[in-house]
PDB file of all heavy atoms in Angstrom:
ATOM      1  N   PRO A  61      -2.603 -61.448  38.521  1.00 66.00           N
ATOM      2  CA  PRO A  61      -3.207 -62.683  39.041  1.00 66.00           C
ATOM      3  C   PRO A  61      -2.441 -63.887  38.512  1.00 66.00           C
ATOM      4  O   PRO A  61      -2.036 -63.923  37.381  1.00 66.00           O
ATOM      5  CB  PRO A  61      -4.620 -62.650  38.464  1.00 66.00           C
ATOM      6  CG  PRO A  61      -4.520 -61.811  37.246  1.00 66.00           C
ATOM      7  CD  PRO A  61      -3.462 -60.783  37.539  1.00 66.00           C
ATOM      8  N   GLN A  62      -2.181 -64.854  39.382  1.00 78.00           N
ATOM      9  CA  GLN A  62      -1.367 -65.964  38.931  1.00 78.00           C
ATOM     10  C   GLN A  62      -1.404 -67.086  39.947  1.00 78.00           C
ATOM     11  O   GLN A  62      -2.139 -67.042  40.915  1.00 78.00           O
ATOM     12  CB  GLN A  62       0.066 -65.490  38.761  1.00 78.00           C
ATOM     13  CG  GLN A  62       0.620 -64.876  40.033  1.00 78.00           C
ATOM     14  CD  GLN A  62       1.733 -63.901  39.710  1.00 78.00           C
ATOM     15  OE1 GLN A  62       2.513 -64.120  38.814  1.00 78.00           O
ATOM     16  NE2 GLN A  62       1.769 -62.800  40.420  1.00 78.00           N
ATOM     17  N   ASN A  63      -0.542 -68.058  39.687  1.00 88.00           N
ATOM     18  CA  ASN A  63      -0.479 -69.258  40.499  1.00 88.00           C
ATOM     19  C   ASN A  63       0.394 -69.084  41.735  1.00 88.00           C
ATOM     20  O   ASN A  63       0.635 -70.037  42.460  1.00 88.00           O
ATOM     21  CB  ASN A  63       0.092 -70.374  39.599  1.00 88.00           C
ATOM     22  CG  ASN A  63       0.109 -71.695  40.268  1.00 88.00           C
ATOM     23  OD1 ASN A  63      -0.835 -72.066  40.945  1.00 88.00           O
ATOM     24  ND2 ASN A  63       1.219 -72.425  40.111  1.00 88.00           N
ATOM     25  N   LEU A  64       0.874 -67.891  41.966  1.00 94.00           N
ATOM     26  CA  LEU A  64       1.829 -67.657  43.038  1.00 94.00           C
ATOM     27  C   LEU A  64       1.231 -66.800  44.140  1.00 94.00           C
ATOM     28  O   LEU A  64       0.249 -66.088  43.915  1.00 94.00           O
ATOM     29  CB  LEU A  64       3.073 -66.950  42.476  1.00 94.00           C
ATOM     30  CG  LEU A  64       3.805 -67.678  41.353  1.00 94.00           C
ATOM     31  CD1 LEU A  64       4.838 -66.755  40.719  1.00 94.00           C
ATOM     32  CD2 LEU A  64       4.472 -68.937  41.879  1.00 94.00           C
ATOM     33  N   SER A  65       1.839 -66.878  45.320  1.00 95.00           N
ATOM     34  CA  SER A  65       1.455 -66.015  46.432  1.00 95.00           C
ATOM     35  C   SER A  65       2.706 -65.564  47.147  1.00 95.00           C
ATOM     36  O   SER A  65       3.786 -66.138  46.967  1.00 95.00           O
ATOM     37  CB  SER A  65       0.518 -66.750  47.397  1.00 95.00           C
ATOM     38  OG  SER A  65       1.183 -67.873  47.962  1.00 95.00           O
ATOM     39  N   ALA A  66       2.587 -64.522  47.947  1.00 96.00           N
ATOM     40  CA  ALA A  66       3.722 -64.012  48.696  1.00 96.00           C
ATOM     41  C   ALA A  66       3.297 -63.754  50.127  1.00 96.00           C
ATOM     42  O   ALA A  66       2.130 -63.489  50.403  1.00 96.00           O
ATOM     43  CB  ALA A  66       4.273 -62.742  48.063  1.00 96.00           C
ATOM     44  N   SER A  67       4.275 -63.845  51.027  1.00 96.00           N
ATOM     45  CA  SER A  67       4.013 -63.556  52.427  1.00 96.00           C
ATOM     46  C   SER A  67       5.200 -62.830  53.021  1.00 96.00           C
ATOM     47  O   SER A  67       6.336 -62.966  52.550  1.00 96.00           O
ATOM     48  CB  SER A  67       3.737 -64.850  53.209  1.00 96.00           C
ATOM     49  OG  SER A  67       4.873 -65.706  53.175  1.00 96.00           O
ATOM     50  N   ARG A  68       4.940 -62.072  54.052  1.00 96.00           N
ATOM     51  CA  ARG A  68       5.983 -61.324  54.755  1.00 96.00           C
ATOM     52  C   ARG A  68       5.761 -61.551  56.242  1.00 96.00           C
ATOM     53  O   ARG A  68       5.149 -60.726  56.928  1.00 96.00           O
ATOM     54  CB  ARG A  68       5.945 -59.850  54.410  1.00 96.00           C
ATOM     55  CG  ARG A  68       7.080 -59.041  55.027  1.00 96.00           C
ATOM     56  CD  ARG A  68       7.112 -57.648  54.440  1.00 96.00           C
ATOM     57  NE  ARG A  68       8.133 -56.821  55.051  1.00 96.00           N
ATOM     58  CZ  ARG A  68       8.457 -55.606  54.630  1.00 96.00           C
ATOM     59  NH1 ARG A  68       7.815 -55.082  53.589  1.00 96.00           N
ATOM     60  NH2 ARG A  68       9.403 -54.922  55.240  1.00 96.00           N
ATOM     61  N   PRO A  69       6.282 -62.663  56.746  1.00 95.00           N
ATOM     62  CA  PRO A  69       6.058 -62.995  58.163  1.00 95.00           C
ATOM     63  C   PRO A  69       6.882 -62.146  59.128  1.00 95.00           C
ATOM     64  O   PRO A  69       6.497 -61.989  60.286  1.00 95.00           O
ATOM     65  CB  PRO A  69       6.469 -64.469  58.233  1.00 95.00           C
ATOM     66  CG  PRO A  69       7.443 -64.649  57.122  1.00 95.00           C
ATOM     67  CD  PRO A  69       6.974 -63.726  56.028  1.00 95.00           C
ATOM     68  N   GLN A  70       7.990 -61.618  58.647  1.00 95.00           N
ATOM     69  CA  GLN A  70       8.839 -60.746  59.463  1.00 95.00           C
ATOM     70  C   GLN A  70       9.221 -59.516  58.639  1.00 95.00           C
ATOM     71  O   GLN A  70       9.089 -59.514  57.416  1.00 95.00           O
ATOM     72  CB  GLN A  70      10.105 -61.496  59.909  1.00 95.00           C
ATOM     73  CG  GLN A  70       9.836 -62.737  60.736  1.00 95.00           C
ATOM     74  CD  GLN A  70      11.130 -63.425  61.154  1.00 95.00           C
ATOM     75  OE1 GLN A  70      12.080 -62.771  61.573  1.00 95.00           O
ATOM     76  NE2 GLN A  70      11.143 -64.741  61.046  1.00 95.00           N
ATOM     77  N   ASP A  71       9.708 -58.512  59.330  1.00 95.00           N
ATOM     78  CA  ASP A  71       9.987 -57.225  58.680  1.00 95.00           C
ATOM     79  C   ASP A  71      10.922 -57.359  57.486  1.00 95.00           C
ATOM     80  O   ASP A  71      10.767 -56.682  56.477  1.00 95.00           O
ATOM     81  CB  ASP A  71      10.580 -56.257  59.707  1.00 95.00           C
ATOM     82  CG  ASP A  71      10.865 -54.891  59.104  1.00 95.00           C
ATOM     83  OD1 ASP A  71       9.993 -54.368  58.375  1.00 95.00           O
ATOM     84  OD2 ASP A  71      11.963 -54.346  59.361  1.00 95.00           O
ATOM     85  N   ARG A  72      11.919 -58.243  57.607  1.00 95.00           N
ATOM     86  CA  ARG A  72      12.950 -58.319  56.572  1.00 95.00           C
ATOM     87  C   ARG A  72      12.950 -59.665  55.859  1.00 95.00           C
ATOM     88  O   ARG A  72      13.973 -60.092  55.328  1.00 95.00           O
ATOM     89  CB  ARG A  72      14.318 -58.021  57.194  1.00 95.00           C
ATOM     90  CG  ARG A  72      14.476 -56.563  57.609  1.00 95.00           C
ATOM     91  CD  ARG A  72      15.708 -56.342  58.450  1.00 95.00           C
ATOM     92  NE  ARG A  72      15.570 -56.939  59.779  1.00 95.00           N
ATOM     93  CZ  ARG A  72      16.527 -56.915  60.694  1.00 95.00           C
ATOM     94  NH1 ARG A  72      17.701 -56.389  60.422  1.00 95.00           N
ATOM     95  NH2 ARG A  72      16.327 -57.450  61.867  1.00 95.00           N
ATOM     96  N   GLN A  73      11.813 -60.327  55.853  1.00 96.00           N
ATOM     97  CA  GLN A  73      11.701 -61.636  55.220  1.00 96.00           C
ATOM     98  C   GLN A  73      10.532 -61.624  54.249  1.00 96.00           C
ATOM     99  O   GLN A  73       9.406 -61.239  54.607  1.00 96.00           O
ATOM    100  CB  GLN A  73      11.496 -62.724  56.287  1.00 96.00           C
ATOM    101  CG  GLN A  73      11.446 -64.124  55.720  1.00 96.00           C
ATOM    102  CD  GLN A  73      11.142 -65.159  56.794  1.00 96.00           C
ATOM    103  OE1 GLN A  73      10.460 -64.860  57.779  1.00 96.00           O
ATOM    104  NE2 GLN A  73      11.638 -66.371  56.608  1.00 96.00           N
ATOM    105  N   PHE A  74      10.788 -62.072  53.034  1.00 97.00           N
ATOM    106  CA  PHE A  74       9.768 -62.075  51.990  1.00 97.00           C
ATOM    107  C   PHE A  74       9.798 -63.444  51.324  1.00 97.00           C
ATOM    108  O   PHE A  74      10.859 -63.903  50.900  1.00 97.00           O
ATOM    109  CB  PHE A  74      10.055 -60.974  50.975  1.00 97.00           C
ATOM    110  CG  PHE A  74       8.858 -60.458  50.237  1.00 97.00           C
ATOM    111  CD1 PHE A  74       7.581 -60.575  50.753  1.00 97.00           C
ATOM    112  CD2 PHE A  74       9.011 -59.810  49.016  1.00 97.00           C
ATOM    113  CE1 PHE A  74       6.478 -60.063  50.090  1.00 97.00           C
ATOM    114  CE2 PHE A  74       7.913 -59.309  48.339  1.00 97.00           C
ATOM    115  CZ  PHE A  74       6.655 -59.427  48.869  1.00 97.00           C
TER     116      PHE A  74
END
Side-chain angles (χ1 to χ4, degrees):
Chain A
Q62 56 205 323
N63 185 42
L64 302 169
S65 62
S67 62
R68 185 170 177 173
Q70 300 180 44
D71 181 45
R72 290 169 290 178
Q73 183 184 30
F74 206 23

